[in-house]
Amino acid sequence: MTAQTLLLGQTLRFTADPFAEGPAAASHDSAGGILIEEGRIAAIGQGAQLRAAHPQARVVDHGDALLMAGFVDAHVHYPQTAIIASWGKRLIDWLNLYTFPEEMRFGDPAHAAEIAGRYLDLTLANGTTTVCSYATIHPESVDAFFAAAQARGQRVVAGKTCMDRNAPEGLRDTAQSAYDDSRALLRKWHGVDRLSYAITPRFSPTSTPEQLEALGALWAEHPDCLMQTHLSEQTDEIAWVRDLYPQARDYLDTYEAHGLLGANGLYGHAIHLESRERDRLREVGAALVHCPTSNTFIGSGLFDMAGLVAAGHRVGLATDTGGGSSFSMLRTMAAAYEIGQLRGTALHPAQLLWLATVGSARALRLDASIGNLAPGMEADIVALDLASTPAIAQRSTRAQDIWEAVFPTIMMGDDRAIRATWVAGQRLV
Ligand code: GUN
Ligand code: ZN
């Protein structure tokens, strides 16, 4: 008989898409249970019933905490951990002044390992169990990140960031070395344990057309890999892309013309899209990633969540650490809510929680394994304390239903709200 663990608490899972079905898409049990066996969810149901049916299971009672799928952060830069919250610059200056000097240090495996471990521990403490990360141009930075995630048993996606122009000496590869190094890393890590590789051109301004072409060719050779990049984040950036690629119809076309537009493509930010770009992204089934704390912190703009979801786009949610100003997906949901309000749509807590779990997992094409609670899925679970501070507690005691109970934690919660984080059935926090 294999060991079983039974988690008790309130449970929340999704049976449909709350953007289509509203809050009825979620199923809440105020006295639920999750049975875990060999790192996966074996059963989910009423706590008392599961306890009676599985008397041999080790019981971990999380009391009135809310058990749900661990958060999935669909766009991060782990190497920017130590420069998060750097003051006063917009995108291009922020990259040159803060980001590139820090990323330069990741050729040192010891530095890369230290930051990778620090990053994963910070995000686990915030209830995030899966991230999709950019590394730096250095293969060592990819090795360090995958090794740290593997040691923690985490499902992560990452790739070597490729740049062969408009970056400082020491932070540039070439078209050929980007192809060769990416391919070697992909072969080394893709599909090993819970790790997968994403082909990662940083963005069109830091790649020559030759490099984009080489990475497009690599993607064509490995179409099951994700490809991640940035798209239409700031207006200055878009003007720069127009200068660098005079032939292109628009920003997206700089990727499309080089084989970097596809159903397994992940496009971060995607704020200032033209209608042709929106249509093409939807036609090919690409995923867009909303990075709300980054978009306000760097001053980028207001993502059109309501319009893009209504048009049928797949959208994930992300911190974009360290352009984003937080490691917390709670804070990120709050920022998504605020941006929704500024655009005239109040996102429901069910929609926010869905974006931070199922939505991001769908964006990463991992929704069969993670992002929800269901039998057979991997047991990546967060236990949320819905009264983690006096301010939140005095608000949530008035709640009439689960949505009123959880919304104050979404808006005001931080790592103090994380009572436990479970990864593949092991408690890491
Ligand atoms: N565009 C290109 N690189 C980056 C980055 O590191 N962060 C953000 N926010 N945007 C980018
Ligand atoms: Zn980014």
Side-chain angles (χ1 to χ4, degrees), residues 150-377:
Q150 189 178 39
R152 289 161 179 77
Q154 286 184 258
R155 182 167 287 292
V156 299
V157 185
K160 173 194 129 71
T161 296
C162 300
M163 299 197 276
D164 68 343
R165 65 168 161 174
N166 294 317
E169 178 67 36
L171 211 53
R172 289 194 305 267
D173 48 19
T174 66
Q176 188 66 48
S177 74
Y179 175 90
D180 293 342
D181 288 348
S182 299
R183 190 173 70 151
L185 289 162
L186 187 163
R187 289 184 172 177
K188 180 172 178 184
W189 293 108
H190 188 59
V192 174
D193 293 340
R194 303 181 75 198
L195 314 173
S196 43
Y197 193 83
I199 295 163
T200 308
R202 180 175 216 121
F203 67 156
S204 291
T206 48
S207 289
T208 58
E210 293 70 34
Q211 181 170 79
L212 295 181
E213 190 76 27
L215 294 173
L218 182 63
W219 198 19
E221 289 154 20
H222 299 277
D224 65 311
C225 280
L226 297 179
M227 188 290 303
Q228 59 178 345
T229 191
H230 297 85
L231 177 67
S232 292
E233 181 176 358
Q234 290 210 340
T235 49
D236 290 358
E237 170 208 13
I238 296 165
W240 192 22
V241 169
R242 203 173 295 126
D243 288 346
L244 290 169
Y245 294 86
Q247 261 80 308
R249 287 169 288 182
D250 46 42
Y251 194 157
L252 184 67
D253 198 31
T254 63
Y255 298 128
E256 189 171 357
H258 298 104
L260 293 171
L261 175 63
N264 283 347
L266 274 175
Y267 301 85
H269 303 280
I271 300 169
H272 309 282
L273 297 176
E274 296 180 17
S275 56
R276 190 201 80 88
E277 296 177 299
R278 294 167 75 115
D279 292 348
R280 280 300 287 148
L281 286 160
R282 200 193 50 246
E283 267 168 33
V284 304
L288 310 180
V289 186
H290 181 29
C291 306
T293 73
S294 171
N295 296 343
T296 52
F297 182 76
I298 311 186
S300 303
L302 307 178
F303 182 80
D304 180 18
M305 176 69 76
L308 289 161
V309 169
H313 290 267
R314 262 182 319 128
V315 178
L317 188 65
T319 59
D320 189 31
T321 300
S325 55
S326 177
F327 296 98
S328 167
M329 288 299 281
L330 292 172
R331 174 74 199 103
T332 303
M333 287 180 251
Y337 178 79
E338 290 161 352
I339 289 176
Q341 285 287 62
L342 287 168
R343 291 201 65 122
T345 301
L347 293 171
H348 191 276
Q351 295 171 332
L352 295 166
L353 292 170
W354 185 90
L355 283 169
T357 53
V358 186
S360 283
R362 281 178 68 208
L364 302 181
R365 303 260 181 223
L366 292 174
D367 50 310
S369 311
I370 58 163
N372 207 349
L373 303 180
M377 295 189 77

